[in-house]
């Protein structure tokens, strides 16, 4: 077992024990005629789990729940735990040119994932098997619609709880914060549910060959989506490289964008933003100064204060940045945040002189994070301020330059995070 804190060991070991008990319960329900079906759906599950697609950070999606749901409808027995456990244990994926499999990755993590999946899917199966009236879908197969909805809900709830609790004990943060972050899993599960029903229907009516015929187009669709995500990743990495190139022009702003991203995400978390919004704000923060790539070095690196005509030029960088990013479809929302991050709450900002609620809240968050890091970093014309002084300026400008809601959230965030930040305001 990898070295980990005691509470993490206790939690993961508890889930594994319950999962293994569930697995043995499934094994006791096996009959000889089930074996070919168990092997078939386990192989499908392994393939589905091996075809994961990375969305961002540690977020991945796969088609595996569709296979699990189909198994639930076909077996209506705890044997689904075997399908779930094997698919989460034996997946194979290629990462950075290297094949990752059971023998060269963390077996403990795989057993934990398999146990969690087996537990959630088995509980869902029990709920489905025990609930209510059966409604006909076709002449040869009937599904319990009420039980199906409840089973999917139970599976989703358990999945979110298990992995939110894992994140909470790993990072020593509030459980409910991770529950909100993981709510997107519900969309993935409910989105795959019709596919699971179709696979079960195809198998019960036409056998395993029909499932394979149906599985082929799904693999093609998955491949197309992966190509899109890969292209999206390449676009984003290219733009980040441009941003880094821009920062390389000015030694005083080196690392600025990533510090601003940390502050902006902290503010947004304090304000209760969901995972998608946090990801959008982080992206905007990393890229917020990309427009400066179109500004002359002599202006960017001027040691003294700017002349009026030079200040007019530097004010163009939010629009330049927004224009660059607007050319990339999936960064459209990000470009709007960047365009307005120099607007002021009193309407005296640029480029459009927006005020109060006219300014997107994400842009107001970025404005506060950007200003704080600028004040606490060395500049050609002054030394860095201490955090206490910078925070006091933000508070003084609350309701004038900055959105008061955002300033309060930032103040609360900094107070929570110890170190030299603990004494601010």
């Amino acid at each position: 077992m990898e070295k980990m804190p005691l509470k993490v060991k206790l939690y993961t070991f508890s889930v594994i024990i319950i999962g293994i008990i569930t697995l043995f319960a499934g094994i006791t329900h096996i009959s000889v005629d089930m074996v070919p079906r168990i092997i078939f759906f386990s192989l499908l599950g392994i393939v589905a789990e091996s075809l994961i697609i990375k969305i961002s950070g540690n977020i991945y999606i796969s088609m595996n729940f569709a296979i699990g749901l189909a198994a639930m409808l076909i077996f209506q027995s705890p044997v689904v735990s075997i399908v779930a456990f094997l698919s989460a244990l034996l997946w194979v994926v290629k990462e950075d040119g290297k094949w990752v499999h059971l023998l060269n990755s963390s077996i403990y993590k795989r057993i934990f994932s398999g146990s969690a999946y087996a537990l959630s899917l088995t509980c869902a199966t029990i709920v489905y098997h025990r609930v209510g009236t059966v409604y006909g879908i076709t002449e040869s197969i009937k599904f319990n619609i009420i039980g199906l909805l409840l089973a999917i809900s139970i599976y989703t709830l358990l999945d979110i709880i298990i992995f939110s609790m894992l994140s909470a004990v790993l990072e020593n943060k509030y459980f409910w914060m991770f529950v909100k972050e993981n709510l997107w899993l519900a969309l993935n599960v409910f989105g795959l549910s019709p596919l699971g029903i179709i696979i079960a229907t195809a198998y019960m009516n036409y056998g395993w060959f029909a499932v394979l015929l149906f599985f082929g187009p799904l693999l093609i669709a998955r491949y197309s989506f992966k190509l899109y995500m890969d292209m999206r990743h390449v676009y984003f990495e290219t733009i980040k490289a441009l941003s880094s190139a821009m920062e390389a022009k000015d030694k005083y702003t080196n690392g600025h964008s990533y510090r601003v991203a940390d502050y902006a995400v902290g503010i947004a978390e304090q304000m209760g933003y969901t995972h998608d919004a946090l990801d959008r704000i982080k992206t905007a923060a990393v890229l917020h100064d990309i427009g400066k790539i179109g500004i002359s070095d002599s202006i960017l690196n001027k040691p003294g204060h700017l002349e009026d005509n030079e200040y007019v030029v530097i004010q163009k960088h939010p629009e330049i940045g927004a224009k660059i990013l607007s050319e990339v479809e999936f960064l459209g929302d990000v470009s709007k945040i960047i365009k307005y991050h120099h607007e002021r709450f009193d309407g005296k900002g640029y480029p459009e002189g927006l005020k109060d609620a006219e300014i997107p809240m994400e842009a107001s968050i970025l404005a506060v994070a950007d200003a704080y890091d600028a004040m606490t970093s060395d500049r050609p014309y002054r030394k860095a301020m201490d955090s206490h002084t910078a925070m006091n300026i933000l508070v003084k400008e609350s309701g004038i330059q900055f959105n008061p809601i955002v300033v309060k959230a930032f103040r609360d965030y900094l107070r929570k995070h110890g170190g030299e930040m603990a004494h601010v305001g």
Side-chain angles (χ1 to χ4, degrees):
M1 187 187 299
E2 298 178 10
K3 190 174 182 179
M4 61 180 75
L6 178 60
K7 62 180 179 180
V8 178
K9 287 183 181 179
L10 290 175
Y11 176 70
T12 54
F13 191 67
S14 298
V15 172
I16 288 173
I17 290 297
I18 297 172
I20 296 297
I21 291 172
T22 303
L23 179 63
F24 276 109
I27 293 173
T28 62
H29 282 76
I30 293 177
S31 59
V32 175
D33 64 300
M34 287 183 178
V35 173
R37 284 180 288 165
I38 292 173
I39 294 173
F40 177 68
F41 279 96
S42 295
L43 289 174
L44 286 183
I46 292 168
V47 171
E49 191 66 19
S50 299
L51 297 176
I52 56 175
I53 300 174
K54 183 176 183 178
I55 302 300
S56 65
N58 292 320
I59 299 177
Y60 297 83
I61 62 172
S62 78
M63 296 184 297
N64 199 19
F65 176 70
I67 305 301
L69 180 60
M72 183 191 86
L73 294 172
I74 290 166
F75 292 105
Q76 297 190 37
S77 160
V79 297
V80 296
S81 64
I82 302 171
V83 174
F85 190 85
L86 290 177
S87 63
L89 183 70
L90 300 177
W91 55 268
V92 178
V93 68
K94 193 172 186 179
E95 291 183 354
D96 300 324
K98 177 185 176 182
W99 287 103
V100 179
H101 47 76
L102 178 65
L103 300 180
N104 66 356
S105 59
S106 172
I107 296 177
Y108 187 78
K109 289 180 180 178
R110 287 173 178 256
I111 292 175
F112 175 83
S113 297
S115 299
Y117 187 21
L119 173 61
S120 299
L121 192 61
T122 302
C123 289
T125 303
I126 292 171
V127 169
Y128 176 76
H129 185 62
R130 291 179 180 268
V131 171
T133 307
V134 175
Y135 294 87
I137 288 183
T138 70
E139 291 183 359
S140 56
I141 180 171
K142 291 185 176 183
F143 293 132
N144 180 339
I145 302 300
I146 297 174
L148 186 59
L149 291 174
L150 286 173
I152 295 170
S153 299
I154 289 294
Y155 172 86
T156 304
L157 181 63
L158 287 174
D159 201 40
I160 290 174
I161 288 174
I162 289 171
F163 287 98
S164 295
M165 185 63 72
L166 176 63
S167 298
V169 296
L170 278 171
E171 300 187 28
N172 198 28
K173 294 182 179 179
Y174 292 114
F175 166 72
W176 290 110
M177 183 181 78
F178 292 103
V179 169
K180 287 193 292 184
E181 284 188 0
N182 289 325
L183 286 178
W184 68 272
L185 289 168
L187 295 176
N188 186 50
V189 168
F190 277 89
L192 287 172
S193 296
L195 177 57
I197 295 172
I198 292 170
I199 291 174
T201 303
Y203 183 84
M204 289 184 168
N205 283 290
Y206 304 106
W208 62 270
F209 185 67
V211 174
L212 294 180
L213 287 177
F214 184 71
F215 208 59
L218 287 178
L219 296 182
I220 295 173
R222 178 262 176 198
Y223 179 69
S224 299
F225 183 66
K226 185 177 185 302
L227 287 179
Y228 166 77
M229 293 304 301
D230 288 345
M231 184 172 63
R232 182 180 186 272
H233 179 71
V234 169
Y235 272 130
F236 185 55
E237 289 301 313
T238 301
I239 291 169
K240 284 205 299 184
L242 288 174
S243 182
S244 297
M246 182 280 302
E247 288 199 349
K249 293 172 64 177
D250 181 3
K251 66 180 180 179
Y252 290 97
T253 61
N254 186 34
H256 167 68
S257 294
Y258 292 94
R259 293 193 301 271
V260 171
D262 288 339
Y263 293 136
V265 169
I267 296 169
E269 286 180 342
Q270 184 68 30
M271 294 174 68
Y273 276 78
T274 60
H275 182 275
D276 287 344
L278 293 176
D279 190 49
R280 185 168 60 249
I281 290 168
K282 182 177 181 179
T283 301
V286 170
L287 303 176
H288 76 280
D289 274 341
I290 191 174
K292 288 183 178 178
I293 202 166
I295 306 298
S296 169
D297 288 357
S298 62
I299 296 177
L300 285 178
N301 296 318
K302 186 174 181 179
H305 289 284
L306 299 176
E307 301 293 334
D308 288 345
N309 63 317
E310 293 171 329
Y311 191 62
V312 169
V313 173
I314 204 74
Q315 285 181 329
K316 293 180 180 178
H317 81 270
E319 290 181 288
I320 295 172
K323 181 73 166 64
I324 292 171
L325 298 183
S326 66
E327 301 298 322
V328 183
E329 182 179 351
F330 62 83
L331 293 176
D333 290 341
V334 170
S335 70
K336 293 176 183 176
I337 299 172
I338 289 172
K339 182 176 182 179
Y340 299 123
H341 79 278
H342 277 294
E343 298 287 1
R344 290 171 52 110
F345 194 74
D346 60 8
K348 296 180 181 179
Y350 59 89
E352 295 182 6
L354 303 182
K355 63 179 181 180
D356 200 346
E358 295 173 345
I359 306 170
M361 188 61 77
E362 293 95 334
S364 295
I365 291 172
L366 181 52
V368 169
D370 186 28
Y372 180 83
D373 187 70
M375 288 188 286
T376 54
S377 301
D378 287 331
R379 285 292 189 254
Y381 49 86
R382 62 156 175 80
K383 289 293 185 180
M385 300 179 190
D386 64 82
S387 58
H388 181 80
T389 301
M391 190 68 233
N392 281 342
I393 291 174
L394 290 179
V395 172
K396 182 180 178 181
E397 290 294 317
S398 177
I400 303 173
Q401 181 174 350
F402 305 111
N403 189 312
I405 297 173
V406 178
V407 172
K408 182 181 183 305
F410 190 36
R411 195 179 188 184
D412 293 342
Y413 165 74
L414 293 181
R415 282 173 168 168
K416 281 184 179 179
H417 286 76
E420 68 169 10
M421 302 293 190
H423 68 286
V424 297

